[in-house]
């Protein structure tokens, strides 16, 4: 990729980021929140590392990948905070236990903790890396059978049980909403799911002294404004920033 096209890409991402930021600010204004309570995660999955470099040049600092191999490859070039780099890598997709080592070594925040067996594997690997891995618990609020995530009525007990793992630090909850067919459905179908996640976080009793549920990772390109109105602290945007994935 020539430097000219990298510059053009950076300009394009800068324009799109400014549009997204304006919408984030408007959603914050509607709900009486400060825009700096919302972290914009740029989801770069399937895009080459040059796109991440252009996004860094455009001012973005938080990046999301749903496959750990892709996160490792890109963080080799652009290290995250855990490797003393200047950006943060968010692992936002479900993880197989045999990939726990890479996740524990490279993710700055893991968004998809959803089973005790995975927690056990990650805790062991994080201990080997001599670090504490910040995690979010993924919750299946949409009730779709195909979605991973802890069932809503099991979340509080799950967070309590994670107290057993000294090398994991729970910071909040994450969800993937059901896909909406229209803006109306974002309001009628998706909004209640985001509200549900926020209520689960707010009602956590705090029996695990190493856990807080202050972070809420919810909202993608089609529904992030509603997610922010419902309390999202982290929105995960791919298409809105980089266009359709090939
Ligand atoms: C791909 C992905 C996103 C981004 O989706 P867009 O609709 O492109 O914004 C967000 N979260 C997760 C978990 C993803 O896998």
């Amino acid at each position: 990729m020539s430097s000219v096209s990298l510059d053009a890409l950076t300009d394009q991402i800068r324009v799109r980021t400014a549009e997204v930021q304006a919408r984030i600010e408007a959603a914050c204004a509607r709900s009486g929140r400060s825009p700096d309570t919302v972290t914009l995660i740029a989801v770069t999955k399937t895009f080459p590392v040059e796109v991440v470099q252009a996004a860094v040049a455009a001012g973005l600092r938080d990046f999301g990948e749903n496959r750990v191999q892709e996160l490792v490859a890109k963080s080799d070039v652009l290290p995250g905070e855990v490797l003393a780099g200047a950006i943060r890598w968010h692992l936002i997709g479900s993880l197989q236990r045999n990939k726990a080592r890479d996740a524990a070594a490279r993710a700055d925040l893991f968004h998809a903790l959803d089973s005790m067996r995975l927690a056990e594997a990650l805790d062991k690997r994080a201990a080997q890396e001599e670090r504490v891995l910040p995690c979010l618990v993924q919750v299946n609020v949409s009730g779709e059978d195909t979605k991973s995530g802890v069932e809503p009525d099991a979340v509080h007990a799950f967070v309590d049980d994670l107290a057993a793992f000294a090398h994991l630090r729970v910071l909040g909850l994450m969800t993937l909403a059901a896909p909406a067919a229209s803006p109306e459905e974002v309001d009628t179908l998706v909004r209640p799911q985001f509200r549900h996640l926020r209520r689960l976080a707010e009602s956590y009793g705090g029996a695990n002294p190493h856990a807080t549920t202050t972070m809420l990772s919810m909202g993608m390109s089609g529904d992030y404004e509603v997610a922010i109105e419902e309390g999202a602290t982290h929105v995960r945007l791919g298409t809105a920033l980089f266009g359709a994935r090939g």
Side-chain angles (χ1 to χ4, degrees):
M1 195 174 282
S2 74
S3 62
V4 172
S5 69
L6 195 57
D7 282 351
L9 191 56
T10 300
D11 285 343
Q12 189 184 53
I13 295 169
R14 197 177 276 125
V15 169
R16 287 187 168 163
T17 303
E19 285 167 7
V20 164
Q21 285 293 0
R23 288 174 175 274
I24 290 175
E25 281 165 29
C28 284
R30 285 195 295 278
S31 44
R33 301 180 56 190
S34 160
D36 43 61
T37 62
V38 179
T39 299
L40 169 58
I41 300 173
V43 178
T44 46
K45 66 184 183 199
T46 77
F47 289 105
V49 72
E50 286 80 7
V51 170
V52 188
Q53 286 167 320
V56 170
L60 289 161
R61 288 294 174 269
D62 286 86
F63 295 93
E65 291 288 338
N66 68 336
R67 291 172 62 246
V68 70
Q69 299 94 314
E70 215 174 320
L71 188 154
V72 167
K74 288 174 187 168
S75 73
D76 279 344
V77 182
L78 290 165
E81 273 181 357
V82 63
L83 297 181
I87 63 172
R88 277 179 295 271
W89 284 106
H90 298 257
L91 185 57
I92 60 178
S94 4
L95 181 71
Q96 291 169 333
R97 277 178 295 136
N98 62 6
K99 310 252 170 62
R101 179 202 298 259
D102 284 334
R106 294 299 183 95
D108 291 296
L109 179 62
F110 175 53
H111 291 232
L113 187 56
D114 65 355
S115 78
M116 286 302 279
R117 293 177 77 197
L118 177 60
E120 204 176 317
L122 282 169
D123 182 69
K124 184 175 141 201
R125 296 305 188 179
Q128 287 167 353
E129 297 292 330
E130 299 181 352
R131 71 180 290 224
V132 173
L133 178 67
C135 296
L136 306 179
V137 170
Q138 183 170 353
V139 185
N140 182 8
V141 287
S142 71
E144 294 166 285
D145 293 344
T146 51
K147 289 268 163 69
S148 34
V150 178
E151 294 305 314
D153 58 9
V155 168
H156 292 167
F158 181 67
V159 175
D160 286 348
D161 289 347
L162 293 171
F165 302 114
H167 295 86
L168 304 182
R169 174 81 16 99
V170 176
L171 298 178
L173 306 181
M174 175 272 207
T175 201
L176 277 161
S182 65
E184 291 70 38
E185 271 195 17
V186 172
D187 211 51
T188 58
L189 186 79
V190 173
R191 185 187 292 278
Q193 294 172 14
F194 291 153
R195 192 168 294 170
H196 191 179
L197 193 74
R198 187 190 68 214
R199 294 210 169 125
L200 284 171
E202 286 173 350
S203 59
Y204 175 62
N208 177 346
H210 308 300
T212 64
T213 52
T214 50
M215 289 185 182
L216 285 176
S217 171
M218 57 188 196
M220 313 188 354
S221 291
D223 54 22
Y224 67 99
E225 294 159 275
V226 165
I228 290 167
E229 289 171 9
E230 297 301 330
T233 64
H234 292 69
V235 292
R236 311 178 305 264
L237 269 56
T239 314
L241 295 171
F242 306 116
R245 286 177 289 274

